[in-house]
Amino acid sequence: MDTQPGSDTSKVKDPSRLTYENVQTRWFVLSSYWIVIILALPFWWRTTSIERLSLPSHRIRAQVEERPRLAVTLALDRSSFGTQVDSVASEVNGLLEASASSSRWRGIDAKVVVGADEKSSYTVSAGKSTVVGNRSLVLSSEDVKRPTRIAELLSDLVAPYMATADNLPERVIQYAPRYRLAFSLLNENAASKSGATGWDVQRAISKHFNPVLSELGLLHNFTIESQVQYHSPLAFQPEIIDNGLGLTHDQLTVFVNSAEWTLASSVSNDPVLHFVLFVPSQKDMPMYILDTAGRPANSNGFLLPQWGGVYVLNTPPDQQELVHLKEKDLLPVFSTFVGQFLTLMGVANLPPDVRSLETSALSSWQLDALLRRRALENIHGSQDTLHSIIKLVEEIENMPVGDVVRDEVQGSLDLLEEAYRASSISPELTLKWSSQALAFASRAFFDPGMLALLYFPAEHKYAVYTPLFASISVPLIVALVREFKAWKLTRQAAQ
Amino acid sequence: MTPCAFRLTKCLLALGLFSLASTSASASSGPGQGHAAPIQARETFDESLTLRPLPDGRVSAAFEFKTVVRGARPREPGSLGRAREEGDVSQHYALFPLELGQILRAHAVAELHLGLRAGKWDYDAWGAPGAWTTADPSPEPHAGVGAGAAGAATGAELYAWMGDAGGGEGEGGVSIDDRWTGLRSALAGLFCASLESLDERRTCAPADAFPPSGTLPPLASQYRPRSNASGSSIGAGGGGYYELRHALQPAEHVCTENLTPFVRLLPCKAAAGLGRLLNPQKLFGADWHGLGVHVRWVAPGGGGGEGGVELVLAAQGVFDPVRLSGSYRSRDWSFQRLFDRLVEARCPVARSSRVYVELPQDVAYSVVPEPTKVEGAVAMYDLLAENAERVDVSLRYLLEKQFQYPTARPPSLSPLTVRRALHGTSQAHGALAVSVTNNLDTPVRVGYLETLPALVTLWLHTLTVTLDGDARPRNDLLTDLTYQPPLPHGAHTGPSVLQAALAIPPRATLRLSVDMGKAFLRYTEHQPDAMRGWDLPGAVFFPLALDDKSYGAGLASAKNSNETAVATTIGYRIHTPNLLVDLATPDFSMPYNVIILSCTLITLIFGSVFNMLTRRWVLVDMDEGLDVE
């Protein structure tokens, strides 16, 4: 240290001569503070920012535009149609093309060709009456001559779903790879001697449901459960009619008393379809379902959209004790349940005047139509979900996007592409890939990690940061300004 | 320092060996798996109500609703992984509640006990909890869960025995801990109880204290045994093993929202049968009340006949008719007075529906109406009999105008009298003191279990055992000590588990004392209403298997003990009441104050250092005024 004695004005040494008092040192001190702060900024930014990995939004936008089309080739049998085969084919093609813009054909490309080859999926031939077989349609001799009729039949068989406009899609339950079917025998009040202690539910299910379930096994898995309850009161008083009690249309919507009926637990996330056999108590017997005119309807069963079916069973009035419902007692009940089940699953009926020759419960035309419908539904569902994810992520800047979400979105996209590729080959494969794509997309959408910092307001950050940063920055900035002024002064003085 | 054998054993490995009857595994059918036979033959439902007058004028009313699915077996745990892919087999129930069956099946639970109880069970005055004073359930129709399984731990107690087929995660198996988590959530949803809080911080596996009350079915043998060095958790033949998970939340309060789902599990709900008497307003007004769900498997053959899965839904209340009667101060009771309801209709699917009344001794009484049968000191009413509707059983003490509370404390009805307390006023340290009095004329050997959450840490070197006020340590009376220290933070949290065998000479009082440290919790670890303190679960005194040689040592030299006296153990588990521990609690408005205060401090230091470094020092000539430089 320079220990030059002070000037003669005083015995004290001049502070400006001290090494640490020279301008360079001060600048060095000041700038090192600022350098540390500036170097620390990226670290601070890195450690406090939310992890937002970039999602493949361009790819998603491109995919959303994509409208895969499932190809259906219908081959006219050359021998059945004779010489007119080409004209019939072109006429039917023309009719199908004319209606191609309607909603029922969305996503399906139907083409009529002449002569079967290995690419064609269905054959159309002539026979005695109009029947459907294993991927084949046999036309009666009159129908063969009418191309409009052929086009109409093929439309009904290949694309039976009138989408969006009517209320059909609301009834059908959303696609899931696995459903639970819950059968419940509910006695309104078993203590009143009019109920049933049990039912041959397993036999009835194996007789009525198993054929249908094995056909639908291609699309879904099913888990079956059943229970009996002995006290399940209604939450309302049914209307009193001449010969008993009646349930009006409004009452049907509130029929299920979920407060007091324990119908299913939440042990799994699979959607549940309920089939409820309701046995009214003796004082409420007989109970009918009323039509709009207030008269008892023919059927005693009704369907609750996307929920399941209900059947009201009136036991004989002279019953003196509880009975065990035999298989034959359950025949009307379970045939109603199967019908309700098929409606809920979205299985289309065959055209009214067409019979099926197939031994299985569902014809191959119905199954294929359902497969196509579910595949397209899943593709649209995954597209919508993916689109919603990127929209949400773009809108909410605080939403973290981790690698789990990114991988799931990526996986969903890859599977969707697989589904597009398969769409021209096989509806089964399309369904398989698209359902997996949907599963991935929904998992990404509902990922709990995306909610982590959603509700952390900016005010909290200011409250944490300002007490330190504001008070530290003031001397730093003031020192900087002061030094700058001093530097300017000395420069002016030098000039 | 002591002859006690200190063994630090991991909680999960401290499992006893269970030799299982190697019954041949018949066609495995879980509760409600496919069977051609009609359901009625498979499932039976019995209900009973046992009323027991207690010496202090109170009446214990214990309901038992028992459903048995004959021929059913708990699910094979190895099938869990497969079911994920393929879907599950069908479940068909008529009487067994489907909701509960689904939960048991989804988590492959072999045995389950859930208790939601409130109040302090007074063992000295009331004897054993449950329907009967005797420990072993007598044969049908008195058979029930028995006092052993009934328990009286205050709060929510859940324990389950679950098998592991040894498949492991790699082979599609689901681990026991995952299933335990799932089971807790499912039951919490079903019973509207805070069972979610029974997490790892409270879960342990004291298998000696909570042995299976039924039989654990042998597991399928196609799985490799898991290589386990200690081998202590292998319990079932063929490579699989069973493990216990036990958790107790002492602060949970049972209330109406728990009774409603409980009643919904009954076949006739509260509409008919004895379930009608479960009036929430009366039950939860009782001095002690509890709900229990007990599921176990009874092996085929032996006393169980065909065997099957047995579900007992138990509800118990200790009513005080003296209080209910107001100024009359009479201990006469009737259904109307106790429950404010009568059984108006019989449950049509009940195989039996009975009311048992334990008749008072050595006092004049009348019981109305006429019992169907009187057997010893127990009157029985069959509610399924003719003319048995609207039965209002009432018991009157004929020569008693007003009930006089006994002035001298009557002899204890419990083999042990236990007192347990926390000493010390500091928020950092304390001491746990337990005194156990043997009320019997024979020496008693009993297991002692403490499961304390990581809020407190026991210091085992301070453990002292004394007898009858004698200052000399009697560590020989405490044997087979195992202790698992608590794991307070991080990924492996867990309670501390202290288990020991105590030998208590006849009519003597054993005192145990151990110092403990109290945890300093993180800000976020405090529960709502932190100033109230934390509930510590009660200790458990459990029966010991007496043929074990290691328990004999302490008794030979015991004071006053008859050398020839045969030692006994207790017949049921005794739970002590909860304790409340006071921990250092922060002022919860502090965080921002702390931030601001520490920021101010940092700024002050920074400012002064910074000023020192960048200040420009000048000489000021006082004569020339303040002319800078």
Side-chain angles (χ1 to χ4, degrees), chain A residues 15 21 26 30 33 178 180 190 197-198 202 224-231 259 262 265 267 322 324 460 468 471-472 475-476 479 483 486, chain B residues 34-35 40 84-85 88 90-95 98-99 102 106 264 267 269 271 348-349 592 599 603 606 610 613-619:
Chain A
E21 270 297 300
R26 214 170 17 243
L30 189 59
Y33 270 101
R178 197 182 303 156
R180 296 184 91 92
T197 53
Q202 296 178 45
I224 293 171
E225 58 204 27
S226 81
Q227 63 171 337
V228 183
Q229 291 196 12
Y230 302 93
H231 184 78
T262 41
S265 76
V267 76
L322 299 183
H324 183 86
H460 280 222
L468 182 68
S471 42
I472 282 185
L476 274 172
E483 287 304 311
Chain B
H35 259 293
Q40 277 63 32
R84 259 188 200 167
E85 306 301 320
D88 206 350
S90 309
Q91 297 180 77
H92 297 285
Y93 298 107
L95 297 167
L98 173 67
E99 286 184 302
Q102 281 177 328
R264 289 210 307 198
K269 312 228 162 63
V349 286
Y592 283 114
C599 285
T603 313
F606 169 83
F610 183 77
L613 288 173
T614 57
R615 176 150 302 164
R616 204 178 278 254
W617 301 92
V618 292
L619 274 182

Coordinates of all heavy atoms in Angstrom, one line a residue, chain A residues 15 21 26 30 33 178 180 190 197-198 202 224-231 259 262 265 267 322 324 460 468 471-472 475-476 479 483 486, chain B residues 34-35 40 84-85 88 90-95 98-99 102 106 264 267 269 271 348-349 592 599 603 606 610 613-619:
Chain A
P15 N -6.8 10.8 1.0 CA -7.4 9.5 0.7 C -7.4 9.2 -0.8 O -7.4 8.1 -1.2 CB -8.9 9.7 1.2 CG -9.0 11.1 1.6 CD -7.7 11.8 1.6
E21 N -8.7 3.7 -3.5 CA -9.5 4.9 -3.8 C -9.3 5.3 -5.2 O -9.9 6.4 -5.6 CB -9.1 6.0 -2.8 CG -10.0 6.0 -1.5 CD -11.4 6.2 -1.8 OE1 -11.8 7.2 -2.3 OE2 -12.2 5.3 -1.4
R26 N -12.5 1.3 -8.1 CA -13.9 1.5 -7.9 C -14.7 0.9 -9.1 O -15.7 0.2 -8.9 CB -14.2 2.9 -7.6 CG -15.3 3.0 -6.6 CD -15.5 4.4 -6.1 NE -15.0 5.5 -6.8 CZ -14.1 6.3 -6.4 NH1 -13.6 6.2 -5.1 NH2 -13.6 7.3 -7.1
L30 N -17.4 -2.1 -8.9 CA -18.8 -1.9 -9.3 C -19.1 -2.8 -10.5 O -20.2 -3.5 -10.5 CB -18.9 -0.4 -9.7 CG -20.4 0.0 -10.0 CD1 -21.2 -0.2 -8.8 CD2 -20.3 1.5 -10.4
Y33 N -19.7 -6.5 -9.5 CA -21.1 -6.7 -9.0 C -22.1 -6.9 -10.1 O -22.9 -7.8 -10.2 CB -21.6 -5.5 -8.1 CG -21.3 -5.6 -6.7 CD1 -20.2 -5.0 -6.1 CD2 -22.1 -6.4 -5.9 CE1 -19.9 -5.1 -4.8 CE2 -21.8 -6.5 -4.5 CZ -20.7 -5.9 -4.0 OH -20.4 -6.0 -2.6
R178 N -63.0 -51.1 -22.7 CA -63.6 -52.1 -21.8 C -64.8 -51.5 -21.1 O -64.8 -50.3 -20.7 CB -62.6 -52.5 -20.7 CG -63.0 -53.8 -20.0 CD -62.0 -54.1 -18.9 NE -60.6 -54.3 -19.4 CZ -59.5 -54.1 -18.7 NH1 -59.6 -53.8 -17.4 NH2 -58.4 -54.3 -19.2
R180 N -68.1 -52.2 -18.2 CA -68.6 -53.1 -17.1 C -70.1 -53.2 -17.4 O -70.8 -52.1 -17.6 CB -68.4 -52.5 -15.7 CG -67.0 -52.4 -15.3 CD -66.9 -52.0 -13.9 NE -66.9 -53.1 -13.0 CZ -65.8 -53.6 -12.5 NH1 -64.6 -53.2 -12.9 NH2 -65.8 -54.7 -11.7
A190 N -88.8 -55.6 -0.6 CA -89.0 -57.0 -0.5 C -89.8 -57.4 0.7 O -90.3 -58.5 0.8 CB -87.6 -57.7 -0.5
T197 N -86.3 -63.0 -4.4 CA -85.1 -63.1 -3.6 C -83.8 -63.3 -4.5 O -82.7 -63.1 -4.1 CB -85.1 -64.4 -2.7 OG1 -85.5 -65.5 -3.5 CG2 -86.2 -64.2 -1.6
G198 N -84.0 -63.8 -5.7 CA -82.9 -64.0 -6.6 C -83.4 -64.2 -8.0 O -84.6 -64.2 -8.3
Q202 N -77.1 -65.7 -14.2 CA -76.0 -66.2 -14.9 C -76.4 -67.0 -16.2 O -75.8 -66.8 -17.3 CB -75.1 -67.1 -14.1 CG -74.5 -66.2 -12.9 CD -73.7 -67.1 -12.0 OE1 -72.9 -67.9 -12.4 NE2 -73.9 -66.9 -10.7
I224 N -68.6 -58.5 -16.3 CA -70.1 -58.6 -16.0 C -70.2 -58.7 -14.5 O -69.4 -59.4 -13.8 CB -70.7 -59.8 -16.7 CG1 -70.7 -59.6 -18.2 CG2 -72.1 -60.1 -16.1 CD1 -71.2 -60.7 -19.0
E225 N -71.1 -58.0 -13.9 CA -71.4 -58.2 -12.5 C -72.9 -58.1 -12.2 O -73.6 -57.5 -13.0 CB -70.7 -57.1 -11.7 CG -71.0 -55.7 -12.1 CD -70.0 -54.7 -11.8 OE1 -68.8 -55.1 -11.7 OE2 -70.3 -53.5 -11.6
S226 N -73.3 -58.7 -11.2 CA -74.8 -58.6 -10.9 C -75.0 -58.6 -9.4 O -74.1 -59.0 -8.6 CB -75.5 -59.8 -11.5 OG -75.4 -60.9 -10.6
Q227 N -76.1 -58.0 -9.0 CA -76.4 -57.9 -7.6 C -77.9 -57.9 -7.4 O -78.7 -57.6 -8.4 CB -75.8 -56.6 -7.0 CG -76.4 -55.3 -7.6 CD -76.0 -54.1 -6.9 OE1 -75.6 -54.1 -5.7 NE2 -76.0 -53.0 -7.6
V228 N -78.3 -58.1 -6.2 CA -79.8 -58.1 -5.8 C -79.9 -57.1 -4.7 O -79.1 -57.1 -3.8 CB -80.3 -59.5 -5.4 CG1 -81.8 -59.4 -5.1 CG2 -80.0 -60.5 -6.5
Q229 N -80.9 -56.3 -4.8 CA -81.2 -55.4 -3.6 C -82.6 -55.5 -3.2 O -83.5 -55.7 -4.1 CB -80.9 -53.9 -4.0 CG -79.4 -53.7 -4.1 CD -79.0 -52.3 -4.1 OE1 -79.8 -51.4 -3.7 NE2 -77.8 -52.0 -4.5
Y230 N -82.8 -55.5 -1.9 CA -84.2 -55.8 -1.4 C -85.0 -54.6 -1.0 O -86.1 -54.7 -0.6 CB -84.0 -56.8 -0.2 CG -83.3 -58.0 -0.7 CD1 -81.9 -58.1 -0.6 CD2 -84.0 -59.0 -1.4 CE1 -81.2 -59.2 -1.1 CE2 -83.3 -60.1 -1.9 CZ -81.9 -60.2 -1.7 OH -81.3 -61.3 -2.2
H231 N -84.3 -53.5 -1.0 CA -85.1 -52.3 -0.6 C -84.5 -51.1 -1.4 O -83.5 -50.6 -1.1 CB -84.9 -52.0 0.9 CG -85.7 -50.8 1.3 ND1 -87.1 -50.9 1.5 CD2 -85.4 -49.5 1.6 CE1 -87.5 -49.7 1.9 NE2 -86.5 -48.9 1.9
A259 N -79.4 -41.7 -5.1 CA -79.1 -41.5 -3.7 C -79.3 -42.7 -2.9 O -78.5 -43.0 -2.0 CB -80.0 -40.4 -3.2
T262 N -77.6 -48.4 -4.5 CA -76.1 -48.5 -4.7 C -76.0 -49.4 -6.0 O -76.1 -50.6 -5.9 CB -75.5 -49.2 -3.5 OG1 -76.4 -50.2 -3.1 CG2 -75.3 -48.2 -2.4
S265 N -69.8 -49.4 -7.8 CA -68.8 -48.7 -7.1 C -67.8 -48.1 -8.2 O -67.8 -48.5 -9.3 CB -68.1 -49.5 -6.1 OG -67.2 -50.4 -6.8
V267 N -64.7 -48.7 -8.6 CA -63.5 -49.5 -8.4 C -62.6 -49.4 -9.6 O -61.4 -49.6 -9.5 CB -63.8 -50.9 -7.9 CG1 -64.3 -51.7 -9.1 CG2 -62.6 -51.5 -7.3
L322 N -91.9 -64.3 -1.4 CA -90.8 -64.0 -2.4 C -90.5 -65.2 -3.3 O -90.5 -66.3 -2.8 CB -89.6 -63.5 -1.6 CG -89.8 -62.3 -0.7 CD1 -88.4 -61.9 -0.1 CD2 -90.3 -61.1 -1.5
H324 N -88.1 -66.9 -6.5 CA -86.8 -66.9 -7.3 C -87.1 -66.9 -8.7 O -87.9 -67.7 -9.2 CB -86.0 -68.2 -6.9 CG -84.7 -68.2 -7.6 ND1 -83.6 -67.7 -7.0 CD2 -84.3 -68.7 -8.7 CE1 -82.5 -67.8 -7.8 NE2 -82.9 -68.5 -8.9
H460 N -47.7 -13.1 -6.2 CA -46.9 -13.8 -5.2 C -45.4 -13.7 -5.5 O -44.6 -13.5 -4.6 CB -47.3 -15.3 -5.1 CG -48.6 -15.5 -4.4 ND1 -48.8 -16.5 -3.5 CD2 -49.7 -14.8 -4.4 CE1 -50.0 -16.4 -3.0 NE2 -50.6 -15.4 -3.5
L468 N -36.1 -8.1 -1.6 CA -34.7 -8.2 -1.8 C -34.2 -7.4 -3.0 O -33.3 -6.6 -2.8 CB -34.4 -9.7 -2.0 CG -32.9 -10.0 -2.1 CD1 -32.2 -9.7 -0.8 CD2 -32.7 -11.4 -2.5
S471 N -34.5 -3.4 -3.0 CA -33.6 -2.7 -2.0 C -32.2 -2.9 -2.4 O -31.4 -2.0 -2.1 CB -33.9 -3.2 -0.6 OG -34.0 -4.6 -0.6
I472 N -31.8 -3.9 -3.1 CA -30.4 -4.1 -3.5 C -30.1 -3.3 -4.7 O -29.0 -2.8 -4.9 CB -30.1 -5.6 -3.7 CG1 -29.9 -6.3 -2.3 CG2 -28.9 -5.9 -4.5 CD1 -29.5 -7.7 -2.4
P475 N -29.0 0.9 -4.4 CA -27.6 1.4 -4.3 C -26.7 1.0 -5.5 O -25.8 1.8 -5.9 CB -27.0 0.6 -3.0 CG -28.1 -0.4 -2.7 CD -29.3 0.0 -3.3
L476 N -27.0 -0.1 -6.1 CA -26.2 -0.5 -7.3 C -26.4 0.5 -8.4 O -25.4 0.9 -9.0 CB -26.7 -1.9 -7.7 CG -26.0 -3.1 -7.1 CD1 -26.7 -4.4 -7.5 CD2 -24.6 -3.2 -7.4
A479 N -25.0 4.0 -7.5 CA -23.5 4.0 -7.6 C -23.1 4.0 -9.1 O -22.1 4.8 -9.4 CB -22.9 2.7 -7.0
E483 N -20.9 7.1 -10.6 CA -19.6 6.9 -11.2 C -19.6 7.5 -12.6 O -18.6 8.0 -13.1 CB -19.3 5.4 -11.2 CG -18.9 4.9 -9.9 CD -17.7 5.6 -9.3 OE1 -16.7 5.9 -10.0 OE2 -17.8 6.0 -8.1
A486 N -19.3 11.1 -12.5 CA -18.0 11.5 -12.2 C -17.1 11.4 -13.4 O -16.2 12.2 -13.7 CB -17.5 10.7 -11.0
Chain B
G34 N -68.3 -67.4 -11.1 CA -69.3 -68.2 -11.7 C -69.6 -69.6 -11.0 O -68.6 -70.3 -10.7
H35 N -70.8 -69.9 -10.8 CA -71.2 -71.2 -10.2 C -72.5 -71.5 -10.8 O -73.4 -70.7 -11.0 CB -71.3 -71.1 -8.7 CG -70.1 -71.6 -8.0 ND1 -69.8 -73.0 -8.0 CD2 -69.1 -71.0 -7.3 CE1 -68.7 -73.2 -7.4 NE2 -68.3 -72.0 -6.9
Q40 N -78.9 -68.4 -3.9 CA -79.4 -68.5 -2.6 C -78.7 -69.6 -1.7 O -78.4 -69.4 -0.6 CB -80.9 -68.8 -2.5 CG -81.8 -67.6 -2.8 CD -81.6 -67.0 -4.1 OE1 -81.2 -67.7 -5.1 NE2 -81.7 -65.7 -4.2
R84 N -55.7 -57.0 -15.9 CA -55.5 -55.7 -16.4 C -55.7 -55.8 -18.0 O -56.2 -54.9 -18.6 CB -54.1 -55.2 -16.1 CG -54.1 -54.2 -15.0 CD -52.7 -53.7 -14.9 NE -52.5 -53.1 -13.6 CZ -51.3 -52.8 -13.1 NH1 -50.2 -53.0 -13.8 NH2 -51.2 -52.3 -11.9
E85 N -55.1 -56.8 -18.5 CA -55.2 -57.0 -20.0 C -56.5 -57.5 -20.4 O -57.1 -57.0 -21.4 CB -54.1 -57.9 -20.4 CG -52.7 -57.5 -19.9 CD -52.3 -56.1 -20.4 OE1 -52.6 -55.8 -21.5 OE2 -51.7 -55.4 -19.6
D88 N -61.9 -58.8 -16.2 CA -62.1 -59.6 -15.1 C -63.2 -60.6 -15.3 O -64.0 -60.5 -16.2 CB -62.4 -58.8 -13.9 CG -62.0 -59.4 -12.6 OD1 -61.6 -60.6 -12.6 OD2 -62.0 -58.7 -11.5
S90 N -66.7 -62.6 -14.2 CA -68.0 -62.0 -13.7 C -68.1 -62.2 -12.2 O -67.5 -63.1 -11.6 CB -69.1 -62.8 -14.4 OG -69.0 -62.9 -15.7
Q91 N -68.8 -61.3 -11.6 CA -69.1 -61.3 -10.2 C -70.6 -61.3 -10.1 O -71.3 -60.4 -10.6 CB -68.5 -60.1 -9.5 CG -67.0 -60.1 -9.6 CD -66.5 -58.9 -8.8 OE1 -66.5 -58.8 -7.6 NE2 -66.2 -57.8 -9.5
H92 N -71.2 -62.2 -9.4 CA -72.6 -62.3 -9.2 C -72.9 -62.4 -7.7 O -72.4 -63.3 -7.0 CB -73.2 -63.4 -9.9 CG -73.1 -63.3 -11.4 ND1 -73.8 -62.4 -12.2 CD2 -72.2 -63.9 -12.2 CE1 -73.4 -62.5 -13.4 NE2 -72.4 -63.4 -13.5
Y93 N -73.6 -61.4 -7.2 CA -74.0 -61.4 -5.7 C -75.5 -61.3 -5.5 O -76.1 -60.6 -6.3 CB -73.3 -60.3 -5.0 CG -71.8 -60.3 -5.1 CD1 -71.1 -59.4 -5.9 CD2 -71.1 -61.2 -4.3 CE1 -69.7 -59.4 -5.9 CE2 -69.7 -61.2 -4.3 CZ -69.0 -60.3 -5.1 OH -67.7 -60.3 -5.2
A94 N -75.9 -61.9 -4.5 CA -77.3 -61.7 -4.1 C -77.4 -60.9 -2.8 O -78.1 -60.0 -2.7 CB -78.1 -63.0 -4.0
L95 N -76.6 -61.4 -1.8 CA -76.7 -60.8 -0.5 C -75.4 -60.0 -0.2 O -75.4 -59.0 0.5 CB -76.9 -61.9 0.5 CG -78.2 -62.6 0.4 CD1 -78.2 -63.9 1.3 CD2 -79.4 -61.7 0.8
L98 N -72.2 -55.8 -3.5 CA -71.4 -55.8 -4.7 C -70.3 -54.8 -4.6 O -69.1 -55.0 -5.0 CB -72.3 -55.5 -5.9 CG -71.5 -55.3 -7.2 CD1 -70.9 -56.5 -7.7 CD2 -72.5 -54.7 -8.3
E99 N -70.6 -53.6 -4.0 CA -69.6 -52.5 -3.9 C -68.4 -53.0 -3.2 O -67.2 -52.7 -3.6 CB -70.2 -51.3 -3.1 CG -71.2 -50.6 -3.9 CD -71.6 -49.4 -3.1 OE1 -72.1 -49.6 -2.0 OE2 -71.5 -48.3 -3.6
Q102 N -66.4 -55.8 -5.1 CA -65.6 -55.3 -6.2 C -64.3 -54.8 -5.6 O -63.2 -55.1 -6.2 CB -66.3 -54.1 -6.8 CG -67.3 -54.5 -7.8 CD -68.0 -53.3 -8.4 OE1 -68.2 -52.3 -7.7 NE2 -68.5 -53.4 -9.6
A106 N -60.8 -56.3 -6.6 CA -59.8 -55.5 -7.4 C -58.5 -55.4 -6.7 O -57.5 -55.2 -7.4 CB -60.4 -54.1 -7.5
R264 N -76.1 -49.0 3.8 CA -76.4 -49.4 2.4 C -75.8 -50.7 2.0 O -76.2 -51.3 1.0 CB -75.9 -48.3 1.5 CG -76.7 -47.0 1.5 CD -76.7 -46.3 0.2 NE -75.4 -46.1 -0.4 CZ -75.1 -45.2 -1.3 NH1 -76.1 -44.4 -1.7 NH2 -73.9 -45.0 -1.8
P267 N -78.4 -56.0 3.3 CA -79.3 -56.4 2.3 C -80.7 -55.7 2.4 O -81.3 -55.3 1.4 CB -79.5 -57.9 2.5 CG -78.3 -58.4 3.2 CD -77.8 -57.2 4.0
K269 N -81.0 -52.9 4.2 CA -80.8 -51.5 4.5 C -81.4 -51.2 5.9 O -81.4 -52.1 6.8 CB -81.3 -50.6 3.5 CG -80.9 -51.0 2.1 CD -80.4 -49.9 1.3 CE -79.6 -50.4 0.1 NZ -80.3 -51.1 -0.9
A271 N -84.5 -50.5 6.3 CA -85.9 -50.6 6.1 C -86.5 -51.7 6.8 O -87.7 -51.6 7.3 CB -86.2 -50.8 4.6
P348 N -86.7 -60.2 4.8 CA -87.1 -61.4 4.2 C -86.0 -62.3 3.8 O -86.2 -63.5 3.6 CB -87.9 -61.0 2.9 CG -87.4 -59.6 2.6 CD -87.0 -59.0 3.9
V349 N -84.8 -61.8 3.6 CA -83.7 -62.7 3.2 C -82.8 -63.2 4.3 O -81.8 -63.9 4.1 CB -82.9 -62.0 2.1 CG1 -83.6 -62.0 0.8 CG2 -82.4 -60.7 2.5
Y592 N -44.2 -14.7 5.0 CA -43.8 -13.4 4.3 C -43.1 -12.5 5.3 O -42.2 -11.8 4.8 CB -45.1 -12.7 3.8 CG -45.6 -13.3 2.5 CD1 -46.8 -14.0 2.5 CD2 -44.8 -13.3 1.4 CE1 -47.2 -14.6 1.3 CE2 -45.2 -13.9 0.2 CZ -46.4 -14.6 0.2 OH -46.8 -15.2 -1.0
C599 N -34.8 -10.5 4.0 CA -34.4 -9.7 2.8 C -33.8 -8.3 3.4 O -32.8 -7.8 2.8 CB -35.5 -9.4 1.9 SG -36.0 -10.8 0.9
T603 N -30.1 -7.0 2.7 CA -29.9 -5.7 2.0 C -29.1 -4.8 2.9 O -28.2 -4.1 2.4 CB -31.3 -5.1 1.8 OG1 -32.2 -6.0 1.2 CG2 -31.2 -3.9 0.9
F606 N -25.5 -6.0 2.6 CA -25.1 -5.7 1.2 C -24.8 -4.3 1.1 O -23.7 -3.8 0.6 CB -26.1 -6.2 0.2 CG -25.9 -5.7 -1.2 CD1 -25.0 -6.4 -2.0 CD2 -26.5 -4.6 -1.7 CE1 -24.7 -6.0 -3.3 CE2 -26.2 -4.2 -2.9 CZ -25.4 -4.9 -3.7
F610 N -21.2 -2.7 0.2 CA -21.1 -2.1 -1.1 C -20.7 -0.6 -0.9 O -19.9 -0.2 -1.7 CB -22.5 -2.2 -1.8 CG -22.5 -1.7 -3.1 CD1 -22.0 -2.4 -4.2 CD2 -23.1 -0.5 -3.4 CE1 -22.0 -1.9 -5.5 CE2 -23.1 0.0 -4.7 CZ -22.6 -0.7 -5.7
L613 N -17.1 -0.3 -0.2 CA -16.2 -0.6 -1.3 C -16.2 0.5 -2.4 O -15.3 0.7 -3.1 CB -16.7 -1.9 -2.0 CG -16.3 -3.2 -1.2 CD1 -17.0 -4.4 -1.8 CD2 -14.8 -3.4 -1.0
T614 N -17.4 1.2 -2.5 CA -17.5 2.1 -3.6 C -17.4 3.6 -3.1 O -17.6 4.5 -3.9 CB -18.7 1.9 -4.5 OG1 -19.8 2.0 -3.6 CG2 -18.7 0.6 -5.2
R615 N -17.3 3.8 -1.8 CA -17.4 5.2 -1.3 C -16.1 5.9 -1.7 O -15.0 5.4 -1.8 CB -17.5 5.2 0.2 CG -17.5 6.5 0.8 CD -18.3 6.6 2.0 NE -19.7 6.3 1.8 CZ -20.6 6.0 2.8 NH1 -20.2 6.0 4.0 NH2 -21.8 5.7 2.5
R616 N -16.3 7.1 -2.0 CA -15.2 8.0 -2.3 C -14.8 8.8 -1.1 O -15.6 9.5 -0.5 CB -15.7 9.0 -3.4 CG -14.6 9.6 -4.3 CD -15.3 10.5 -5.3 NE -15.9 9.7 -6.4 CZ -15.3 9.7 -7.6 NH1 -14.2 10.4 -7.8 NH2 -15.8 9.0 -8.6
W617 N -13.6 8.5 -0.6 CA -13.2 9.2 0.6 C -12.4 10.5 0.3 O -11.6 10.5 -0.6 CB -12.3 8.3 1.5 CG -12.9 7.0 1.9 CD1 -12.9 5.9 1.2 CD2 -13.7 6.9 3.0 NE1 -13.7 4.9 1.9 CE2 -14.2 5.5 3.0 CE3 -14.1 7.7 4.1 CZ2 -15.0 5.0 4.0 CZ3 -14.9 7.1 5.1 CH2 -15.4 5.8 5.0
V618 N -12.8 11.6 0.9 CA -12.1 12.8 0.6 C -11.7 13.5 1.9 O -12.3 13.2 2.9 CB -13.0 13.8 -0.2 CG1 -13.3 13.3 -1.6 CG2 -14.3 14.1 0.5
L619 N -10.7 14.4 1.8 CA -10.3 15.2 3.0 C -11.1 16.5 2.9 O -11.2 17.1 1.9 CB -8.8 15.5 2.9 CG -7.9 14.4 3.5 CD1 -6.5 14.9 3.4 CD2 -8.3 14.2 4.9

